[in-house]
Amino acid sequence: TLTQLAPDAVLKAILRKPTHDRSPDDLEIIYEELVHIRALSHLSTTVKRELANIIVFESHPRAETVLFNQGDEGVSWYVILKGSVNVVIHGKGVVTTLQDGDDFGQLALINNAPRAATIITREDGCQFLRVDKDDFNRILRDVEANTVRLKEHGRDVLVLEKVSANPSAAHRHSASSHYKYTVMAGMPQKMLEHLLETRLDARHLSVRDEDIIRPYSSATDMFLDDFLLTHIMFMPTHQLITELMRNYRIESPTQDKEFVVASKSRVVNFVYQWVTSIRDPVFDETITHSFFEQLHSEVHADARLYHTLREEAAMLDHVQELLGEYRAARQQGGSLATLTWTLPAGGQSVVLFSAVNAAATAAASNRKGSGESNAASAFSVEKRRPIRADDDIIFRVYCADHTYCTLRQPVNATAETIKLNAADKLGLRHEELVLAEIKSNGEKSVIADTEVSIATCLSINGRIFVSPKDHLDAMTVLPDQEGPSDGTCNELEMFSTRELAYYITLIDWDLFCSVHEYELLYHVAGAQPFRKIKSNLDLFLRRFNEIQYWVVTEICLANTLGKRVQLLRKFIKLAAYCKEFQNLNAFFALVMGLSNVAVSRLTQTWERLPSKLRKMFTEFDGLIEPSRNHRAYRIAVGKLQPPILPFMPLLLKDMTFTHEGNRTLLDSAGLINFEKMHMLAQTMRTLRYCRSRQLLLQPPTPRSEQEVRNYIRNLRVIDNQRILTGLSQRLEPKRA
Ligand code: CMP
């Protein structure tokens, strides 16, 4: 009887048969049909033949039939044979229409997520081919299209790509196999929705702590963490909280309680992850405060209605506590008027550390009310806290005749404000003034009006000048910018090398732990658009340069061969200790100092070095070798366990490389290149990984503890290469 029907009807009749009743001829007919379907065109012959065995026919006589609802569990995948459907999203309505040849419903299956949209037939007599979950997983999951582009109103809103998931992730959810969709690009709002839907189910919040901190396993699903670390690049906080609120308040047209509760729960879980993983910068955006308060009260009200939300209510209680702590810390900071960072005053970096100590000491002696505060200063009480945007900083601004004024300004004061204040104090009346840094080598660079945290990003012996625009060329370097004229090798010889390395590392660790991951973003994308500061990062980098020039300065100021050889030995051993302490930042600084031409050209000195130390240096030099993208270093650091002090300039280079080599926007409509965000986040996670364990070094047997600490804090250096090379040539003139 089948043969009497139209070919179309034959096919339908076969497809309606129970799958085990299909004859080889039937399968051939189905296969022939599958060959012509656009949604299947990328599949191999074998896969299509397998599909012929199990694919089923589904038709709906009436328009407005709901195939499934947003939030439902995904049970099958569809291809449209005839007709069209609307894709409907709560809170947005119809976002797009799909036609015959299109497919849908793969997202929920592949990501084990609830349905991202409701599907409703648009016309009478729609026909579909359907593959149910188990068959989909068996046959299609791993071969289904690698890229899925979701559209809304005619433009791409989310581009997903299948990647191989971490095998350990597969163990956790037995249903998932090796592949999962990750976001390659998307509109901010859609990415957030996708994140909430697929990554924030309280039931299986899939990010484990180890995943967050281990940067090297790129296969792990890091969507949530990537988003939290980088959203400020593409979705400012005010927009994020607006969207979160909207998602929290989403209603279900079908009054589906489960859907509503799940949506609310996800938003709260997102907020919780956000606050606990990013911490202070979330609260620094003060617009978040009222949002958290609002959400807190809404969740509590909702929890009375939906009891399952009680856990979420408790999470927000905790967020309120954290906010309270943040506010308390602020107030304390404000009352401690002495907590300022002073820059520059003579040997400027000196003050940078000691000002903090003075504050700590003052606090300590207030508490104790005794005179022993001096002994208590430095390391025990110290525990620097990170510099914040509204902290005050004290620094000098000079003018042409080398007179200066001392300013006290918030760290995030703009160059323009500083310029106006300085001009005012110095009595400069001029139309066109500029603020500029003059380095010790005479180099001048004008500071743009919008720049912030000027004082912390000066070069080591650089100073801030204010001058009429057309007089800038006439500005001269201050005498004290040259740096010291006498070395300290006698002092240095008395200190134990291990003790030096120990205190160098403590300072570095302290500076390193103050650097927020966000500062890396500010570094590449510029702090001004965010009006944020990266002063903690500045100080850490500055310290790197200081140590580097310290090595060169000391050696070039040692005027006897014997002293120079002693110093060379000392610095090589110091590098060895820093390496042992996993302080690779100082290790690089020391070895780079030793490789500076002003040092490396001192052949007489190097010849007198014991061969054991020379060999050691050659090995160190190999480690800092930049070839093949610092391969030697990357391999070495990859083998270490935290705590690690990484070579910071390389992390910044990686950030810059990613930032400059990849566009943030993929089109004019605002599609964000999320792959780039992932790469940036990977580098940012390295910071977290490095300090995921506390630094616990065996303290050295104290010999000259106080002297060593003071010395290490107050390094005075020459950072003018010309002077250093000149000194070096005088020490060991080139042999004719
Ligand atoms: P799934 O989440 O399983 O169920 C709804 C399906 O709608 C989804 O898979 C996609 O295949 C399809 N879809 C098409 N466009 C969109 C869109 N803009 N947002 C979400 N889903 C969409």
Side-chain angles (χ1 to χ4, degrees):
T1 50
L2 276 182
T3 47
Q4 289 154 10
L5 296 168
D8 206 26
V10 175
L11 178 70
K12 274 175 232 159
I14 295 172
L15 282 168
R16 281 198 174 103
K17 285 188 186 181
T19 50
H20 53 263
D21 280 354
R22 293 177 186 172
S23 70
D25 283 350
D26 294 345
L27 294 180
E28 192 59 31
I29 293 171
I30 300 173
Y31 171 77
E32 284 304 325
E33 181 64 22
L34 298 186
V35 168
H36 302 293
I37 294 174
R38 176 153 44 90
L40 308 178
S41 59
H42 63 283
L43 299 174
S44 69
T45 308
T46 328
V47 170
K48 283 181 198 142
R49 289 203 180 275
E50 274 190 84
L51 280 179
N53 285 303
I54 50 89
I55 206 157
V56 288
F57 183 78
E58 180 174 320
S59 70
H60 295 280
R62 297 275 158 265
E64 303 295 324
T65 307
V66 174
L67 267 67
F68 54 74
N69 277 301
Q70 180 179 358
D72 286 355
E73 189 191 342
V75 288
S76 29
W77 173 68
Y78 295 83
V79 176
I80 307 176
L81 273 184
K82 181 164 165 275
S84 58
V85 298
N86 279 331
V87 179
V88 183
I89 295 182
H90 293 321
K92 291 193 194 172
V94 178
V95 295
T96 191
T97 294
L98 304 174
Q99 317 285 344
D100 53 307
D102 290 336
D103 68 301
F104 57 87
Q106 71 288 62
L107 293 190
L109 297 184
I110 291 195
N111 280 349
N112 278 319
R115 293 292 192 195
T118 299
I119 302 289
I120 307 176
T121 58
R122 283 182 80 219
E123 49 205 275
D124 291 348
C126 286
Q127 300 179 348
F128 305 89
L129 288 178
R130 195 186 76 218
V131 177
D132 293 332
K133 187 173 179 172
D134 289 344
D135 294 323
F136 182 90
N137 281 339
R138 185 169 49 85
I139 304 170
L140 286 175
R141 186 180 188 106
D142 295 349
V143 294
E144 231 294 283
N146 276 325
T147 309
V148 173
R149 307 180 83 88
L150 298 182
K151 286 185 188 299
E152 286 182 12
H153 310 294
R155 56 178 210 220
D156 287 343
V157 289
L158 200 62
V159 182
L160 301 166
E161 207 155 283
K162 230 164 35 183
V163 293
S164 162
N166 189 334
S168 70
H171 292 309
R172 273 178 289 155
H173 321 296
S174 50
S176 71
S177 84
H178 303 298
Y179 293 95
K180 216 176 162 143
Y181 282 124
T182 75
V183 174
M184 286 292 135
M187 304 293 278
Q189 189 198 41
K190 185 71 177 180
M191 288 196 286
L192 177 64
E193 285 163 13
H194 184 68
L195 184 59
L196 290 170
E197 262 162 11
T198 59
R199 306 300 202 277
L200 280 148
D201 251 322
R203 278 169 288 127
H204 51 81
L205 201 65
S206 61
V207 189
R208 297 168 304 170
D209 282 352
E210 325 152 36
D211 290 343
I212 295 182
I213 56 173
R214 182 164 297 276
Y216 306 108
S217 58
S218 60
T220 320
D221 178 46
M222 292 275 91
F223 184 30
L224 173 59
D225 197 49
D226 291 345
F227 191 96
L228 294 177
L229 283 173
T230 61
H231 79 85
I232 53 171
M233 296 278 286
F234 56 86
M235 192 179 203
T237 302
H238 69 87
Q239 194 188 341
L240 176 61
I241 59 181
T242 309
E243 281 303 313
L244 286 171
M245 212 54 186
R246 193 181 65 79
N247 277 280
Y248 183 81
R249 289 173 178 163
I250 260 173
E251 284 170 21
S252 156
T254 51
Q255 300 302 312
D256 180 350
K257 181 181 144 188
E258 214 174 302
F259 174 82
V260 171
V261 171
S263 309
K264 292 185 187 305
S265 159
R266 287 183 197 126
V267 171
V268 174
N269 276 284
F270 178 94
V271 164
Y272 191 75
Q273 294 282 321
W274 182 28
V275 170
T276 52
S277 76
I278 304 298
R279 309 171 312 276
D280 275 7
V282 177
F283 296 126
D284 286 343
E285 305 274 2
T286 45
I287 38 167
T288 60
H289 300 192
S290 55
F291 164 72
F292 292 141
E293 270 150 23
Q294 179 70 26
L295 190 64
H296 181 256
S297 72
E298 288 193 24
V299 174
H300 273 275
D302 286 336
R304 282 192 281 278
L305 200 62
Y306 309 113
H307 292 296
T308 46
L309 283 178
R310 279 183 190 153
E311 220 172 290
E312 280 72 11
M315 286 174 140
L316 287 184
D317 289 344
H318 187 48
V319 170
Q320 286 306 109
E321 273 165 39
L322 294 174
L323 177 58
E325 280 167 25
Y326 170 87
R327 284 179 168 146
R330 291 266 124 165
Q331 246 132 44
Q332 211 178 30
S335 69
L336 255 183
T338 36
L339 198 61
T340 50
W341 281 264
T342 313
L343 253 173
Q348 42 183 342
S349 55
V350 178
V351 201
L352 206 118
F353 295 112
S354 48
V356 183
N357 274 341
T361 311
S365 60
N366 278 346
R367 245 176 281 130
K368 291 194 213 133
S370 73
E372 57 178 312
S373 57
N374 261 349
S377 78
F379 291 91
S380 46
V381 217
E382 174 184 13
K383 202 58 216 146
R384 269 184 79 244
R385 66 155 173 77
I387 300 179
R388 299 187 292 226
D390 55 0
D391 282 334
D392 278 349
I393 185 160
I394 295 174
F395 56 94
R396 292 177 182 176
V397 179
Y398 295 84
C399 46
D401 61 1
H402 292 180
T403 56
Y404 63 85
C405 67
T406 304
L407 292 182
R408 176 176 172 153
Q409 295 274 309
V411 182
N412 69 351
T414 60
E416 182 167 36
T417 313
I418 291 169
K419 185 170 69 182
L420 295 176
N421 280 320
D424 201 38
K425 276 201 164 186
L426 292 165
L428 291 178
R429 254 166 258 300
H430 200 279
E431 295 293 283
E432 275 193 291
L433 289 174
V434 289
L435 206 61
E437 174 183 356
I438 302 189
K439 293 188 180 164
S440 60
N441 63 4
E443 218 176 283
K444 303 177 180 85
S445 49
V446 173
I447 304 167
D449 275 351
T450 52
E451 255 171 77
V452 290
S453 60
I454 318 295
T456 55
C457 43
L458 292 177
S459 66
I460 297 179
N461 290 332
R463 296 289 187 271
I464 307 172
F465 280 75
V466 61
S467 116
K469 198 175 175 192
D470 38 3
H471 290 185
L472 187 60
D473 284 345
M475 297 275 161
T476 55
V477 174
L478 303 167
D480 79 338
Q481 285 187 257
E482 279 202 359
S485 45
D486 295 312
T488 61
C489 74
N490 292 337
E491 219 174 322
L492 258 179
E493 272 317 308
M494 288 174 4
F495 299 148
S496 114
T497 314
R498 191 172 189 283
E499 207 169 355
L500 280 168
Y502 177 79
Y503 290 113
I504 286 178
T505 303
L506 285 197
I507 291 181
D508 281 353
W509 181 253
D510 203 22
L511 290 170
F512 178 56
C513 289
S514 297
V515 179
H516 193 277
E517 298 91 65
Y518 272 6
E519 292 185 54
L520 297 189
L521 280 187
Y522 302 148
H523 177 81
V524 291
Q528 304 102 290
F530 305 107
R531 207 134 181 249
K532 290 289 183 297
I533 57 149
K534 55 176 181 70
S535 300
N536 298 293
L537 178 58
D538 293 338
L539 294 193
F540 190 42
L541 292 174
R542 182 191 171 82
R543 183 66 180 173
F544 179 89
N545 290 329
E546 223 166 55
I547 292 181
Q548 192 181 335
Y549 281 110
W550 169 52
V551 171
V552 192
T553 304
E554 289 302 330
I555 292 177
C556 290
L557 289 176
N559 41 26
T560 72
L561 188 59
K563 281 181 182 175
R564 288 198 297 280
V565 176
Q566 282 304 90
L567 278 174
L568 217 49
R569 295 172 66 129
K570 187 111 195 158
F571 285 127
I572 294 172
K573 287 186 188 162
L574 193 56
Y577 275 119
C578 285
K579 182 164 167 273
E580 184 190 318
F581 296 160
Q582 310 205 130
N583 183 355
L584 300 166
N585 195 59
F587 171 81
F588 262 74
L590 292 163
V591 180
M592 282 169 72
L594 290 168
S595 327
N596 184 295
V597 281
V599 177
S600 64
R601 63 172 294 288
L602 298 171
T603 41
Q604 293 164 41
T605 311
W606 285 95
E607 274 163 16
R608 294 265 305 268
L609 194 69
S611 67
K612 195 180 124 217
L613 282 163
R614 221 178 307 157
K615 255 177 69 189
M616 205 182 220
F617 178 75
T618 312
E619 184 200 317
F620 291 171
D621 205 32
L623 258 183
I624 72 158
E625 229 279 300
S627 69
R628 290 198 286 165
N629 198 8
H630 280 285
R631 189 178 148 84
Y633 165 75
R634 288 183 202 267
I635 290 175
V637 79
K639 290 183 189 146
L640 300 181
Q641 293 293 317
I644 303 166
L645 274 150
F647 171 41
M648 200 61 166
L650 184 61
L651 287 180
L652 295 181
K653 190 181 144 220
D654 289 348
M655 288 295 286
T656 307
F657 190 81
T658 305
H659 182 61
E660 286 174 2
N662 300 277
R663 287 177 298 163
T664 296
L665 280 177
L666 291 177
D667 66 13
S668 56
L671 196 69
I672 303 299
N673 179 2
F674 199 75
E675 222 181 336
K676 168 178 177 173
M677 300 304 140
H678 175 71
M679 290 191 276
L680 292 173
Q682 289 288 88
T683 307
M684 296 165 80
R685 271 188 286 274
T686 308
L687 283 203
R688 255 196 236 159
Y689 176 69
C690 287
R691 52 200 189 199
S692 58
R693 274 202 226 132
Q694 262 306 313
L695 181 75
L696 292 169
L697 293 177
Q698 180 72 39
T701 28
R703 269 176 43 187
S704 28
E705 194 182 337
Q706 203 56 47
E707 289 91 331
V708 176
R709 284 172 173 178
N710 285 340
Y711 179 90
I712 283 302
R713 284 170 180 277
N714 302 333
L715 297 180
R716 294 187 58 221
V717 306
I718 302 171
D719 69 342
N720 181 344
Q721 187 66 43
R722 207 164 12 91
I723 296 181
L724 290 167
T725 311
L727 286 170
S728 168
Q729 273 157 353
R730 232 166 302 146
L731 292 175
E732 294 186 20
K734 219 183 238 145
R735 273 172 274 193

